[in-house]
Amino acid sequence: MAKGYCMSQKIEKPILSGQRIKTRKRDEREKYDPTGFRDAILLGLEKTGNDLEAISKYLDSAGSKLDYRRYGEALFDILIAGGLLVPGGSIAQDGDKPVKTTACVFEQPEDMESMRNFEQVFIKLMRRYKYLEKMFEEEMKKVLVFMKGFSPKNRIKLARMTALWISNGSVPPIVLSVLINEHLVKDNLALDFLLEVFVTWKQEKGLPSLMTALKKGGIEGRLMEFVPPNKRTEEYFRSVFEAVGLADIVKLHKAQASQEAKRDLQQSLIDDLANKRSMKDIMLDVKEMAQRSGIPEHEVIGLIWSVVMTQAEWNKKEELVAEQAVKHLKMYTPLFDAFTCTAKSELALLLKVQEFCYENMCFMKVFQKIVLLFYKTDVISEEVILKWYKEGHSVKGKMLFLDQMKKFSGYKMPKKNQNQGKRIKLQIKI
């Protein structure tokens, strides 16, 4: 009984009367009220009389009273479009209440001086409240997708301002990739906007700055994706960009497309060799891809050399790697021969061999043996070897490789046999 009594006493602990459980401030959540925020901002902006200095001062002081951290997106909606944006790009209505301000991008004149002046409002605001920078990036992704709902004039203003914002670092160039949206691309809106951004950027900051931003934002390789699918040809692309003075963008696009084509060709060759396809089929595949992509032969031979040399695990010992290299390369001489139809291609191959041997220490003394193999198998002609020796070599390992080929250069080369149309090989040992 004593034990039970003790237990009951333990259960019936006295509770202090009047005790309350208080809710911590951090657990209290205010109702999200973007319209209330909008009304407060509109009232404040109305008092500035559209004076840009007054606008900046008001936004600076309002940040200590209004919750920019919570309503940053709403704030940028107002400063860009004049009011709160709803999906589709229109301004949210609220009965008879004023829902729009004239202190915004869309109400500024189109000229660049006006654009630059209003740009300062954003620069000063984000300089004062650094946390708004990330919000602004997200806002721009949303606003650009809403572009279809804006008037043609407002699209131009937004494009010009976007060029200024990206070039001054307010938003990263990658935000432009959101324009690659089916509806925007199809209606030519994405391309028109992009062209206006580029033209403005070129005029304001110069072409080198634009090129750098395109590479940084990963846009350079996606330019064709902004073109409507039914117009997606190289001819159309060139015509629209050249028409607005952006011929350099066309060159950049061609260079990027060429790099991608080369990577595709290289990967295709790697796959063909891994699948042990016949040399004839491989040659046909490479030729077809090169012709389709416009890759010149002297560049194709460099890609072939790079792939072939990755197909072996090279011995680290100099005395063994020479024999291994000759044996390995001999299997691929028909492939090399198929893409050295010009002196330019032969010289390109020779320079690739020189570069490889220079960069791989154990191949330093193998250069002459590789060249002799290509000479004997009709891949490289004696004329090209002599040209390389006299003036066509690179500076990489120059003296070492020239010394290796000195004996070869001392022989008088026989003329081609006119009857057979083939080179007569010198039976020499170096």
Side-chain angles (χ1 to χ4, degrees):
M1 287 297 292
K3 189 175 181 182
Y5 176 78
C6 289
M7 285 179 69
S8 64
Q9 286 296 317
K10 199 170 186 179
I11 292 168
E12 296 172 6
K13 272 190 173 182
I15 297 174
L16 292 173
S17 60
Q19 181 181 0
R20 271 195 228 168
I21 300 172
K22 288 188 177 180
T23 306
R24 294 179 181 180
K25 281 190 177 180
R26 70 184 181 195
D27 295 330
E28 293 176 0
R29 291 192 63 82
E30 291 180 24
K31 182 184 175 185
Y32 182 64
D33 183 21
T35 56
F37 175 83
R38 174 202 62 195
D39 294 344
I41 289 289
L42 293 187
L43 186 63
L45 290 175
E46 187 181 356
K47 295 175 182 177
T48 65
N50 282 338
D51 178 79
L52 297 184
E53 192 62 38
I55 291 171
S56 287
K57 283 181 180 177
Y58 165 69
L59 292 173
D60 189 309
S61 61
S64 60
K65 303 166 192 172
L66 302 175
D67 194 350
Y68 284 177
R69 284 187 185 275
R70 198 170 189 199
Y71 298 106
E73 186 179 316
L75 176 62
F76 287 125
D77 271 3
I78 294 165
L79 292 177
I80 293 172
L84 298 180
L85 288 168
V86 296
S90 59
I91 300 293
Q93 300 302 308
D94 193 2
D96 296 329
K97 262 185 174 183
V99 293
K100 201 162 182 268
T101 178
T102 54
C104 65
V105 173
F106 286 177
E107 293 296 329
Q108 303 307 304
E110 287 180 44
D111 65 278
M112 285 311 300
E113 186 180 357
S114 299
M115 292 286 107
R116 284 192 292 270
N117 289 339
F118 203 77
E119 174 197 14
Q120 290 302 311
V121 171
F122 287 84
I123 290 174
K124 289 175 182 177
L125 176 63
M126 285 185 279
R127 194 177 290 159
R128 175 70 174 82
Y129 299 100
K130 293 290 287 181
Y131 59 81
L132 287 175
E133 290 178 356
K134 186 63 183 172
M135 291 184 187
F136 189 44
E137 181 182 339
E138 294 305 312
E139 168 73 6
M140 282 302 295
K141 289 176 184 176
K142 180 195 77 176
V143 170
L144 292 181
V145 172
F146 286 173
M147 187 172 55
K148 194 171 184 178
F150 305 150
S151 69
K153 280 190 175 182
N154 285 343
R155 286 182 209 135
I156 290 172
K157 292 174 187 178
L158 182 60
R160 290 176 180 176
M161 195 60 92
T162 299
L164 295 177
W165 285 330
I166 297 176
S167 62
N168 71 28
S170 294
V171 287
I174 197 170
V175 298
L176 292 173
S177 62
V178 303
L179 293 170
I180 304 173
N181 172 289
E182 184 182 352
H183 302 293
L184 297 179
V185 171
K186 180 184 169 186
D187 295 336
N188 221 77
L189 296 177
L191 182 59
D192 286 345
F193 189 90
L194 191 74
L195 290 171
E196 188 64 44
V197 170
F198 286 0
V199 168
T200 303
W201 195 318
K202 183 182 176 183
Q203 290 170 349
E204 294 294 309
K205 303 291 182 179
L207 195 64
S209 168
L210 173 57
M211 297 294 203
T212 301
L214 291 180
K215 291 175 183 177
K216 187 178 177 182
I219 305 293
E220 60 172 340
R222 305 189 68 187
L223 292 175
M224 188 63 87
E225 294 179 53
F226 291 85
V227 180
N230 61 336
K231 298 177 182 177
R232 207 166 281 176
T233 65
E234 293 295 332
E235 293 76 18
Y236 180 78
F237 183 92
R238 179 179 54 77
S239 66
V240 293
F241 275 83
E242 288 183 353
V244 292
L246 293 171
D248 290 281
I249 299 294
V250 177
K251 291 177 185 175
L252 178 69
H253 166 70
K254 281 185 177 178
Q256 182 66 26
S258 177
Q259 286 301 319
E260 288 179 11
K262 287 175 189 175
R263 284 194 289 269
D264 290 345
L265 189 151
Q266 207 162 5
Q267 189 57 54
S268 175
L269 180 55
I270 290 170
D271 293 341
D272 281 353
L273 292 175
N275 294 328
K276 301 189 183 302
R277 296 190 68 197
S278 72
M279 201 59 69
K280 184 179 178 181
D281 287 341
I282 291 175
M283 284 188 276
L284 287 172
D285 277 358
V286 173
K287 280 191 176 181
E288 185 185 334
M289 287 189 74
Q291 286 173 359
R292 187 171 66 243
S293 305
I295 307 173
E297 186 186 76
H298 67 275
E299 292 182 10
V300 174
I301 196 66
L303 298 175
I304 291 172
W305 168 265
S306 298
V307 171
V308 165
M309 295 308 281
T310 60
Q311 299 301 302
E313 286 288 335
W314 298 109
N315 203 300
K316 300 297 181 186
K317 295 182 179 178
E318 280 187 22
E319 61 273 19
L320 298 176
V321 80
E323 185 182 346
Q324 183 192 6
V326 171
K327 186 178 179 182
H328 176 73
L329 289 169
K330 201 167 188 177
M331 296 189 295
Y332 298 99
T333 50
L335 183 59
F336 286 114
D337 189 46
F339 292 92
T340 48
C341 299
T342 65
K344 188 174 183 179
S345 302
E346 291 180 29
L347 185 59
L349 176 58
L350 253 178
L351 289 170
K352 281 290 180 184
V353 176
Q354 180 183 352
E355 185 180 291
F356 183 86
C357 291
Y358 174 76
E359 292 174 354
N360 295 271
M361 189 70 70
C362 58
F363 276 82
M364 283 288 200
K365 295 179 181 177
V366 186
F367 177 76
Q368 57 179 345
K369 297 187 183 300
I370 295 174
V371 175
L372 187 57
L373 168 69
F374 284 153
Y375 172 69
K376 286 183 174 180
T377 52
D378 214 26
V379 173
I380 299 176
S381 67
E382 59 272 13
E383 291 87 357
V384 170
I385 295 174
L386 287 176
K387 183 179 180 181
W388 170 88
Y389 187 86
K390 292 175 184 176
E391 59 186 14
H393 51 263
S394 80
V395 296
K396 294 180 178 180
K398 172 183 170 182
M399 298 312 296
L400 174 66
F401 298 135
L402 288 180
D403 187 60
Q404 287 182 30
M405 298 304 295
K406 190 183 290 183
K407 289 184 181 178
F408 194 102
S409 67
Y411 283 88
K412 184 179 179 182
M413 302 301 164
K415 294 180 180 179
K416 291 182 181 180
N417 186 322
Q418 299 299 322
N419 296 325
Q420 295 178 1
K422 292 277 186 180
R423 303 183 192 121
I424 300 175
K425 297 301 177 186
L426 284 174
Q427 299 302 313
I428 59 173
K429 290 183 180 179
I430 298 178

